Amino acid sequence: MRSRSLLVLLAAALLAGCQTHPRSIMQPPPYAAPPPPPPAKAPPVWVKPAPPNFSGTAGPLSRAGVGRYMDGLEGDLRRSLHGLPVARPGDTIVVNLQDDVLFAHGELSDQGHDVLKTLGAALVHYDRTGIEVNAYTDTRGTPEENLKTSQKHADAVAAALREDGIAAKRIGATGFGREHLKVATGAGVKNPRNRRIEIRIVPKPDLRSS
C-alpha cells in the first residue's frame, strides 16, 4: 500500500512538471500612443534686414561698365531683399512684388515701408539708374476702377521711394489696371499673382542724382 502511494505521488509530480506555462515574451506589448505629427511650418514672413553693406561701386558710370554696375546692384538686391523675386532680363533689373507684400487695406503697410526702405537704400547707392514703378490689378471690378487703383498704388510706391532719398526725376509711376495679366483669367477673377507691383531698374550712365 505504501509503495502504491509513493508511485501515485511520483506520477503526479512528473505530470505537473510536464505542464507548459505561457511565456512572458508571448504577451502583447503594452499600448504605445503614436507620436504627434510635426507642427505645420509657418508661412515665410518679411524680416527687416540689417543695413546692407553694398559690394558694387556707385558714382560715375561709363557705358562700357554698365554690365558690371548692374551685376553689383543685382547681387546686393538679392542679398538685401531676402528672397523676394529679383529678375535680370539683359541689363534691366525687375523686382516683382505681390500687392499683399506692400499693401494692406489699400494703403502701404509697415512691411511695405520696410521693403521699400531696403530697396531704396540700394537705389540711392546705385544712383545712375532710372526706376519705373508699374502697378497691375486682377480682373475684379471695372476697367476704370482697376486703372484708378493701380495708379494709386504706383504713386504710393514712388512717393515712398522719394521719401527714402531717391531723386524724383529718376522715378516714373504708371498704373496699368488689368492689362498685361501675369495669369490669364476671365473677368471678375481674384488672382494674387495679377495684383502686383513691378519695379524696373534701368541703367542711366548719363544720369546724375543732383
Side-chain angles (χ1 to χ4, degrees):
M1 180 65 83
R2 186 174 182 181
S3 301
R4 183 179 296 177
S5 299
L6 290 174
L7 289 173
V8 171
L9 291 173
L10 181 59
L14 290 173
L15 183 61
C18 292
Q19 291 179 347
T20 59
H21 298 279
R23 298 183 180 180
S24 60
I25 61 172
M26 299 300 292
Q27 294 177 354
Y31 173 75
K41 292 184 178 180
V45 295
W46 166 259
V47 178
K48 186 176 181 180
N53 181 19
F54 298 115
S55 60
T57 302
L61 172 62
S62 67
R63 295 189 181 277
V66 163
R68 184 165 49 191
Y69 189 86
M70 299 306 282
D71 286 345
L73 174 56
E74 179 189 8
D76 284 333
L77 286 180
R78 290 188 184 279
R79 283 187 292 273
S80 60
L81 290 177
H82 290 280
L84 293 177
V86 177
R88 174 77 180 276
D91 284 328
T92 297
I93 293 173
V94 181
V95 181
N96 193 332
L97 302 171
Q98 288 188 1
D99 185 87
D100 57 7
V101 170
L102 297 179
F103 293 91
H105 310 294
E107 304 294 334
L108 273 176
S109 62
D110 290 342
Q111 172 176 283
H113 281 289
D114 286 343
V115 171
L116 294 176
K117 279 185 180 296
T118 301
L119 175 62
L123 296 178
V124 167
H125 183 77
Y126 292 90
D127 58 357
R128 264 50 175 187
T129 55
I131 302 125
E132 302 167 8
V133 180
N134 300 327
Y136 305 87
T137 68
D138 54 26
T139 60
R140 292 176 301 168
T142 67
E144 295 77 14
E145 291 170 339
N146 290 332
L147 194 62
K148 182 178 179 180
T149 297
S150 63
Q151 188 62 56
K152 176 184 175 183
H153 285 186
D155 289 339
V157 170
L161 293 175
R162 289 194 299 270
E163 290 173 1
D164 292 332
I166 299 172
K169 67 180 180 180
R170 294 176 57 195
I171 307 172
T174 306
F176 288 92
R178 62 171 67 182
E179 294 182 30
H180 312 300
L181 296 175
K182 197 83 170 176
V183 179
T185 67
V189 177
K190 176 182 178 180
N191 190 298
R193 292 183 63 190
N194 287 331
R195 301 191 308 273
R196 67 197 191 278
I197 307 291
E198 290 184 357
I199 301 175
R200 301 178 64 85
I201 307 162
V202 295
K204 298 284 188 180
D206 300 325
L207 180 67
R208 295 181 179 275
S209 296
S210 57

